[in-house]
Amino acid sequence: MKLAIYPGSFDPITNGHLNIIQRSLSISDQLIIAIAHNVQKTSLFSVEERLEQISRSVPKEYADRVKVDAFDGLLMDFAQQQNAHMIVRGLRAISDFEYEFQMAHMNKRLFPQCETVFMMTGEEHFYVSSNLVREIARFAGNVTGLVPEHVEEALKGKYKK
Ligand code: PNS
C-alpha cells in the first residue's frame, strides 16, 4: 500500500494541481492532499475554504483513494505520522527547481524513508500558478480554464468584497 502526500498552499487549487493529483494516483494507492498552514504567507482563502474547494475538485471516481487534510509545522513530521512513502511535487520550470531541490534534500534528511517524487506539470498547465491566478482575478481578469469553475466563482466573490 503506497501512500503519497501532495503538499502545498493550494491558494487556490488550480487545474495544474488537479493534473498532478490525477497522475499521482497512477504511482500510489492512496493520496493525501495536504494543505500547509503557512505562517509566512498571508492567504486569500482560509484553510477551511481550501479544504472544501479541493474536496469538491477531486473527481468522484478517486474519492475513495484521496483524502484532503491540513497540517501545521513540518511536512516531514506530518509525513511520518501518516507513514507516507512519498511526497509528490509538481515542477513547472527551471525557476521552481532550486527551491524544490533544496526542500527535497532537507526533507530527505528529516525523514529518509520518504522519497520526493517530481512530476513535470502538464504542458497545458506549466505557466499556471496560484499566485498568478489570484493576481488576474484581483483585477477582474479571466481565469476560466485555469481553475475549476467553483473556484472561479469563489475568486470573484472574494474580490467583489
Ligand atoms: O505550494 P507551495 O506553497 O509551494 O508549498 C510549499 C510547502 C507547503 C510544500 C512547503 O512550504 C512546506 O513543506 N511547508 C511546511 C513547513 C516545512 O516543512 N518546512 C521545511 C521545508 S524543508
Side-chain angles (χ1 to χ4, degrees), residues 7-9 36 41 71 73-75 89 99 103 106-107:
S9 305
K41 276 191 189 174
F71 69 98
L74 288 179
L75 170 63
R89 293 286 289 168
Y99 168 62
M103 201 161 60
M106 201 56 97
N107 283 339

Side-chain angles (χ1 to χ4, degrees), residues 6-11 17 34-38 40-41 71-77 87 89 92 99-100 102-107 110 130:
Y6 180 36
S9 305
F10 305 106
D11 188 37
H17 291 131
I35 305 168
H37 281 271
N38 196 336
Q40 282 161 5
K41 276 191 189 174
F71 69 98
D72 264 319
L74 288 179
L75 170 63
M76 292 327 256
D77 286 343
I87 301 295
R89 293 286 289 168
R92 284 168 304 203
Y99 168 62
E100 293 295 337
Q102 235 182 335
M103 201 161 60
H105 278 282
M106 201 56 97
N107 283 339
L110 292 168
S130 300

